[in-house]
Amino acid sequence: MAFPRAARLFLLSLLSPLALAALLAACSASQEPKPHDADSSAGCDAAKVDYLIGQNVSGYIERQAMQESGASDVRVLRPGDAATMDFNPARLNIHTDPGKVIIKLACG
């Protein structure tokens, strides 16, 4: 037995907003940023290693900068390198010129 057209439209008008609300709730929940640990973000201070600007980057310099800045992670960014756009306050970014000379240090 089929529902009359009026009954189908009535049911559709009730279900559509519910389906839309469920879809929007699912989308907004999946886009919430993940909080960083308060302990891990408290450590990075790029100003402590500003004296390294002008030096050639090396494994030793990376480890030294990470330790002295209090960062828990480090990455070297050269011109043209692809980099994720995520913000990690516990990470030290070492920006270099094409000759691997440090030109900028920043947490994030």
Side-chain angles (χ1 to χ4, degrees):
M1 166 156 79
F3 287 108
R5 179 176 164 82
R8 285 186 297 204
L9 290 175
F10 177 72
L11 286 174
L12 186 59
S13 68
L14 288 178
L15 294 178
S16 294
L18 293 175
L20 181 61
L23 180 63
L24 290 174
C27 289
S28 66
S30 66
Q31 293 178 357
E32 291 179 17
K34 296 178 183 176
H36 292 281
D37 295 335
D39 295 333
S40 65
S41 65
C44 186
D45 183 3
K48 290 181 178 179
V49 289
D50 274 347
Y51 71 91
L52 294 173
I53 293 175
Q55 295 190 30
N56 287 335
V57 72
S58 66
Y60 173 77
I61 294 292
E62 288 179 43
R63 289 186 299 276
Q64 179 182 0
M66 188 170 82
Q67 181 180 18
E68 291 182 18
S69 69
S72 62
D73 192 17
V74 66
R75 73 175 169 181
V76 177
L77 299 169
R78 294 173 183 85
D81 279 356
T84 60
M85 296 304 293
D86 65 317
F87 180 78
N88 179 352
R91 176 178 54 215
L92 178 67
N93 294 307
I94 301 175
H95 299 264
T96 69
D97 68 6
K100 298 185 181 178
V101 175
I102 299 172
I103 57 173
K104 179 182 172 184
L105 296 148
C107 296

